[in-house]
């Protein structure tokens, strides 16, 4: 898959990194464009996937009829018996490989992807998620979808979403609060726009720091101060004043 | 000079932990420290010695003939990548960890990995815990059981059939030794020690050739733990031994092993006819008596219960 360096995407990506309104988390996302040009390494991947499929077919023949009916996999790309569906799966896996260079997704199966009912559906879902979490005005006014549409023609796309099992999640070592991965695939243009985003808790950074070199003495047991109030009214007043409320 | 070079080289090969120049001098006090350092530096340049750093100390280490041949012609970056992969031994190293440790640019790392792979020095492997991570290790090392999953995984997939069958065999064996056979519903006395231990179960599996996969005692205990969590068997502590103190004193560094025994769980039925009577769940129980509107004679719940 050939990475397309789209100028407008660079601006979008710099705005796709922002803290949430709740203040204790931040969102990091990126939009990447790819052309479905098959390079050398991709060809190897395609041959590997085809081989795997053929082997699975062979194995399925050895199963009883009722077991093999389960393997007539109707994938979100169409029946896997059709090579066009397998080609789509290949493009998506190749995109993931290109976007996450430390990972190799060739062991993924079609059932870890879902097809969105329509591009508008995915758009609404992404917009709602980002707005709810407090995306900044700069992103909202950046005409992000117009830029994406210019590259990929959203209305003519099939939209797929990758829902990984925990161990296959490229964000597994960061432990995000949520994440999504959408592929906008335009068959006629032979292009994919990959929209990935994750939300991470700021507390995770603190945890990382404490992992490096625990020095005994860093944790000092300080006596916790407790104040005992004669009546609950006193307690309430004290809490209210402390919190800035007027009782 | 060549003789001294060879002598120092041979000496470092004998000490794989590395040697400081001072330590080398201790072995050959007839030479000045400066001479030794010069010769060592020459050996560094000809790549027969390498410089390593352990806890802030710099040491010279001899490079074995095999490694010299392997690393011949590699750039420093490629050698660095190779060293890190070598250090990861049977666990393998993730590409991302490689980037963090070497601080090299991603393109350089990818290219170095390609060169090393072409030279048949490293191979890429997959871990069962992180099937999408790109891991690399030396070509002639076998991946650890952490990565391959041990006997429970075949080709990166958990062999649930195998696990369940084997667990069932263990369970049958344990069940056969859990309760006395002569009388139904009887139980062994409280200090009975004849319940099977993990070593006995392992012997049973091996002697009966239940599987040709070789299993360690740890593997068997993993299976038994699974059965315990499934509620099928329970762990029983061995009877208290009075001479534990004496044994410990003699043992010294030995880890005290608990020889757990295992017994099959037999659930006693908690239902009995007494609990079936509708009065137990009757909402108007308090107002029921021999007289009045609410009596057992007119009870609807009884009618339903007695109609089977």
């Amino acid at each position: 898959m050939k990475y397309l360096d789209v100028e407008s995407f660079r601006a979008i990506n710099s705005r796709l990194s922002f803290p949430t309104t709740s203040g204790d988390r931040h969102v990091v996302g990126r939009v990447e464009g790819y052309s479905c040009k098959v390079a050398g390494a991709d060809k190897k991947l395609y041959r590997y996937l085809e081989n795997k499929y053929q082997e699975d077919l062979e194995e399925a023949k050895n199963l009883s009829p009722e077991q093999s009916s389960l393997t007539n996999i109707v994938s979100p790309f169409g029946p896997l018996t059709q090579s066009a569906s397998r080609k789509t799966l290949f493009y998506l896996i190749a995109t993931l490989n290109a976007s996450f260079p430390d990972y190799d997704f060739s062991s993924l199966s079609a059932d870890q992807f879902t097809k969105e009912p329509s591009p508008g559906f995915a758009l609404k879902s992404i917009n709602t998620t980002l707005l709810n979490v407090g995306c900044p005005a700069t992103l909202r006014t950046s005409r992000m979808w117009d830029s994406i549409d210019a590259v990929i023609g959203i209305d003519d796309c099939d939209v797929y979403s990758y829902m990984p099992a925990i161990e296959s999640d490229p964000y597994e070592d960061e432990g995000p609060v949520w994440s999504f991965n959408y592929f906008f695939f335009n068959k006629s243009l032979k292009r994919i726009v990959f929209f990935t985003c994750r939300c991470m808790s700021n507390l995770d950074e603190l945890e990382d720091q404490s992992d490096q070199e625990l020095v005994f003495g860093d944790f000092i047991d300080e006596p916790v101060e407790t104040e005992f109030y004669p009546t609950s009214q006193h307690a309430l007043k004290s809490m209210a004043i402390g919190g800035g409320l007027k009782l | 000079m060549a003789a001294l070079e060879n002598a120092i080289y041979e000496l470092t090969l004998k000490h794989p932990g590395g040697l400081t120049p001072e330590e080398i001098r201790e072995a050959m006090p007839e030479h000045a420290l400066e001479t030794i350092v010069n010769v060592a530096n020459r050996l560094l340049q000809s790549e027969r010695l390498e410089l390593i750093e352990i806890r802030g100390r710099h040491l010279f280490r001899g490079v074995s003939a095999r490694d010299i041949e392997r690393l011949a012609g590699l750039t420093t970056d490629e050698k660095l990548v190779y060293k890190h992969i070598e250090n990861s031994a049977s666990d393998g190293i993730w590409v991302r960890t490689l980037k963090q440790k070497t601080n090299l640019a991603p393109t350089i790392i990818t290219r170095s990995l390609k060169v090393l792979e072409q030279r048949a020095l490293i191979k890429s492997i997959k871990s069962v815990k992180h099937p999408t991570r790109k891991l690399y290790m030396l070509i002639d090392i076998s991946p650890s059981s952490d990565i391959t999953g041990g006997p429970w995984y075949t080709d990166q997939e958990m062999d649930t059939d195998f696990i369940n069958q084997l667990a069932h065999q263990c369970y049958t064996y344990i069940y056969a030794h859990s309760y006395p056979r002569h009388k139904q519903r009887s139980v062994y006395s409280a200090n009975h020690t004849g319940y099977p231990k993990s070593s006995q179960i392992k012997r049973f599996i091996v002697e009966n050739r239940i599987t040709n996969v070789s299993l360690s005692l740890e593997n068997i205990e993993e299976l038994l733990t699974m059965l315990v969590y499934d509620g099928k068997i329970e762990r029983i502590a061995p009877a208290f031994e009075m001479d534990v103190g004496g044994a410990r004193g003699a043992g010294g560094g030995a880890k005290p092993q608990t020889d757990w025994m295992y017994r099959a769980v037999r659930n006693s039925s908690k239902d009995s006819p007494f609990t079936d009577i509708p009065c137990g769940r009757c909402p108007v129980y308090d107002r029921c008596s021999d007289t009045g509107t609410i009596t057992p004679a007119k009870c609807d719940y009884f009618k339903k219960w007695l109609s089977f």
Side-chain angles (χ1 to χ4, degrees):
Chain A
M1 304 295 285
K2 186 158 160 278
Y3 178 69
L4 304 168
D5 193 5
V6 184
E7 174 100 33
S8 52
F9 284 4
R10 277 189 251 149
I12 297 177
N13 287 335
S14 62
R15 295 191 188 118
L16 267 174
S17 177
F18 55 85
T20 64
T21 37
S22 59
D24 59 350
R25 300 180 185 159
H26 56 278
V27 173
V28 180
R30 60 178 189 272
V31 181
E32 296 173 334
Y34 292 94
S35 134
C36 301
K37 271 210 188 68
V38 182
D42 294 332
K43 281 206 190 108
K44 242 173 59 182
L45 173 66
Y46 184 63
R47 261 181 276 137
Y48 169 77
L49 290 175
E50 286 289 294
N51 275 340
K52 208 166 75 149
Y53 173 69
Q54 293 298 335
E55 279 173 12
D56 285 346
L57 260 186
E58 285 296 320
E59 257 188 56
K61 283 191 196 141
N62 298 335
L63 296 173
S64 71
E66 52 176 58
Q67 275 179 308
S68 65
S69 68
L70 292 170
T71 59
N72 270 343
I73 308 162
V74 183
S75 77
F77 319 115
L80 283 182
T81 43
Q82 285 178 9
S83 81
S85 337
R86 298 202 297 273
K87 202 83 193 256
T88 313
L89 173 64
F90 156 67
Y91 286 138
L92 297 194
I93 292 181
T95 308
L96 283 172
N97 281 349
S99 188
F100 298 102
D102 295 331
Y103 292 86
D104 177 14
F105 294 92
S106 47
S107 57
L108 287 189
S109 57
D111 56 1
Q112 290 176 295
F113 296 89
T114 52
K115 182 161 191 218
E116 298 294 309
S118 75
F121 204 82
L123 239 82
K124 264 191 234 148
S125 169
I126 297 176
N127 282 340
T128 324
T129 313
L130 292 177
L131 283 170
N132 278 344
V133 109
C135 77
T138 46
L139 183 60
R140 265 180 277 144
T141 54
S142 66
R143 321 208 61 142
M144 171 176 77
W145 291 114
D146 283 344
S147 317
I148 297 182
D149 195 41
V151 173
I152 197 93
I154 296 183
D155 291 324
D156 298 323
C157 283
D158 292 327
V159 186
Y160 300 98
S161 154
Y162 173 50
M163 326 262 252
I166 296 185
E167 63 266 6
S168 314
D169 190 353
Y171 297 128
E172 32 111 22
D173 62 334
E174 298 175 51
V177 179
W178 53 257
S179 67
F180 60 70
N181 304 288
Y182 284 100
F183 303 84
F184 292 82
F185 178 36
N186 191 320
K187 263 193 217 156
S188 40
L189 282 180
K190 296 205 116 189
R191 278 183 182 176
I192 290 187
V193 165
F194 180 49
F195 196 157
T196 178
C197 191
R198 65 198 185 277
C199 175
M200 307 222 279
S201 168
N202 293 342
L203 296 172
D204 286 345
E205 282 179 22
L206 293 174
E207 267 174 44
D208 275 341
Q209 281 170 14
S210 70
D211 271 353
Q212 295 160 11
E213 314 252 332
L214 273 180
V215 179
F216 290 110
D218 270 354
F219 305 120
I220 306 170
D221 276 325
E222 283 175 332
V224 177
E225 292 191 329
T226 53
E227 293 177 290
F228 292 97
Y229 297 99
T231 66
S232 58
Q233 237 185 357
H234 275 169
L236 208 52
K237 208 156 104 181
S238 165
M239 279 196 311
I241 293 173
L245 292 176
K246 272 231 184 104
L247 261 188
Chain B
M1 258 316 138
L4 181 56
E5 274 187 16
N6 285 334
I8 295 186
Y9 177 54
E10 295 293 317
L11 185 65
T12 51
L13 280 181
K14 288 206 191 89
H15 296 258
L19 294 167
T20 61
E22 287 81 12
E23 286 165 354
I24 300 178
R25 178 137 199 271
E26 269 172 50
M28 36 187 78
E30 66 272 18
H31 297 284
L33 188 61
E34 208 187 313
T35 329
I36 292 183
V37 171
N38 282 339
V39 172
N41 276 329
R42 265 219 300 280
L43 284 168
L44 262 183
Q45 281 170 349
S46 64
E47 292 181 357
R48 288 203 281 167
L49 241 56
E50 57 177 359
L51 200 59
I52 55 174
E53 183 184 332
I54 296 184
R55 283 190 284 271
R57 294 166 68 224
H58 291 270
L59 304 158
F60 290 104
R61 186 161 64 183
V63 182
S64 71
R66 182 198 71 166
D67 280 348
I68 294 181
E69 192 192 315
R70 282 189 171 187
L71 303 179
L74 291 179
T75 67
T76 358
D77 292 336
E78 289 158 5
K79 282 206 195 107
L80 187 59
V81 169
Y82 178 83
K83 279 280 165 244
H84 279 286
I85 297 180
E86 191 181 36
N87 282 344
S88 68
S90 64
D91 286 328
I93 187 170
W94 186 22
V95 178
R96 187 175 287 185
T97 330
L98 211 46
K99 283 183 195 163
Q100 287 166 346
K101 285 201 172 170
T102 61
N103 268 326
L104 294 170
T107 35
I108 299 190
I109 293 195
T110 328
R111 206 192 44 207
S112 310
L113 288 171
K114 209 156 87 167
V115 167
L116 291 171
E117 251 183 316
Q118 278 168 347
R119 278 235 199 165
L121 293 173
I122 62 174
K123 62 181 180 218
S124 91
I125 51 167
K126 281 208 158 62
S127 159
V128 287
K129 285 202 270 208
H130 307 279
T132 43
R133 284 192 185 180
K134 277 193 197 155
L135 295 176
Y136 287 93
M137 66 168 42
L138 290 188
I139 197 142
D140 45 4
I141 299 191
S142 301
S144 68
S145 65
D146 230 19
I147 300 214
T148 58
W152 314 130
Y153 281 83
T154 328
D155 293 335
Q156 305 283 315
E157 258 181 51
M158 191 183 278
D159 203 343
T160 21
D161 278 338
F162 173 62
I163 295 175
N164 287 334
Q165 272 175 17
L166 206 55
H168 186 73
Q169 293 287 345
C170 294
Y171 174 69
T172 342
Y173 177 77
I174 296 175
Y175 189 87
H177 290 80
S178 297
Y179 298 99
R181 267 174 274 208
H182 55 267
K183 208 163 83 148
Q184 271 277 344
R185 289 180 176 245
S186 62
V187 180
Y188 287 122
S189 62
N191 51 9
H192 176 82
T193 49
Y195 299 118
K197 303 197 175 101
S198 49
S199 43
Q200 290 166 280
I201 300 171
K202 176 174 178 226
R203 197 158 12 118
F204 165 72
I205 303 272
V206 166
E207 276 172 9
N208 288 295
R209 283 179 231 267
I210 293 182
T211 169
N212 6 344
V213 176
S214 76
L215 298 163
S216 70
L217 192 63
E218 268 166 7
N219 294 143
I220 300 283
E221 288 182 346
E222 284 169 2
L223 269 184
L224 296 176
T225 312
M226 185 182 93
L227 286 170
V228 170
Y229 288 139
D230 282 345
K232 296 209 173 95
I233 63 177
E234 50 184 4
R235 267 202 185 106
I236 299 182
F240 181 64
E241 282 164 12
M242 298 301 280
D243 55 356
V244 155
R248 287 264 181 90
K255 200 167 63 166
Q257 296 258 7
T258 331
D259 244 340
W260 297 104
M261 300 189 289
Y262 295 88
R263 178 173 78 168
V265 168
R266 196 192 261 165
N267 273 325
S268 55
S269 174
K270 296 195 176 73
D271 289 331
S272 83
F274 282 118
T275 56
D276 274 344
I277 298 179
C279 303
R281 302 197 318 191
C282 179
V284 290
Y285 176 77
D286 288 337
R287 296 185 278 177
C288 183
S289 76
D290 284 335
T291 57
T293 28
I294 305 182
T295 85
K298 295 198 206 146
C299 179
D300 280 338
Y301 301 117
F302 260 106
K303 277 203 197 83
K304 220 188 326 184
W305 183 55
L306 291 172
S307 65
F308 288 95

